Amino acid sequence: MEDSLKIRLRNQEFNLAKTIVDQADEFFSDSVKVEFYRGEVYRGFAQYPEKSALEYQWIMTGKEKVDEATEERFKRDQPANLAAAVQSYQVSARANPPYAKASRRLGEIAEQRGQKQQALEYYSEYLKLAPDASDRRYVELAINRLGKNTGESP
């Protein structure tokens, strides 16, 4: 189930991924991870509204061309979808034990929003929770870049 979800997310099939996440509580014993993946789905909707609308249209009608109303709805829902992603990531990051990847995603979103101090905190928390993370170097570079921009030492 998790592998199928990861494939859907990697292929930017967010509507299909949402269907899996909505059913996931029955299959996953780890609700913290489910909440993280729910955040991934909503982040995908927010980042790729046109692709999400096209996928939705294809699922609902079999047509490979999206109508304007559906595309506009997905574009209009971008802020709400991003807020839903943040909420899901926060649930996952504040769990006991916290899910490290959620802190990284919160850092990325905070950085995109220009919330540099908050991004630094989330990235630092991620590295504390996952000291051997495969993307450690990327996150350290982000921390250094943000530290220089805020005038603080990382």
Side-chain angles (χ1 to χ4, degrees), residues 100-111:
K101 290 180 182 179
S103 293
R104 179 172 184 254
R105 287 292 193 231
L106 288 165
E108 291 170 346
I109 292 169
E111 184 176 1

Side-chain angles (χ1 to χ4, degrees), residues 16 28 45 55 67 78 104-105 119 133 136 142 145:
L16 295 173
F28 290 139
F45 284 150
E55 178 199 11
D67 64 61
Q78 278 181 285
R104 179 172 184 254
R105 287 292 193 231
R136 181 177 187 84
R145 180 182 64 249

Side-chain angles (χ1 to χ4, degrees), residues 115-141:
Q115 300 165 334
K116 295 175 182 165
Q117 185 58 41
Q118 194 171 25
L120 281 168
E121 291 169 13
Y122 283 128
Y123 285 145
S124 296
E125 180 67 15
Y126 171 67
L127 293 180
K128 187 172 98 178
L129 293 169
D132 297 325
S134 62
D135 59 350
R136 181 177 187 84
R137 181 150 167 70
Y138 164 81
V139 176
E140 287 172 339
L141 288 170

Side-chain angles (χ1 to χ4, degrees), residues 49-65:
E50 295 90 357
K51 185 164 184 122
S52 299
L54 180 61
E55 178 199 11
Y56 176 82
Q57 190 77 36
W58 177 78
I59 290 169
M60 299 307 288
T61 67
K63 295 178 183 174
E64 294 186 23
K65 186 172 187 326

Side-chain angles (χ1 to χ4, degrees), residues 13 21 41 44 82 88-89 92 96 103 107 109 126-127 134 138 144:
E13 297 168 342
V21 168
V41 167
L82 189 58
S88 290
Y89 291 142
S92 191
N96 188 10
S103 293
I109 292 169
Y126 171 67
L127 293 180
S134 62
Y138 164 81
N144 287 333

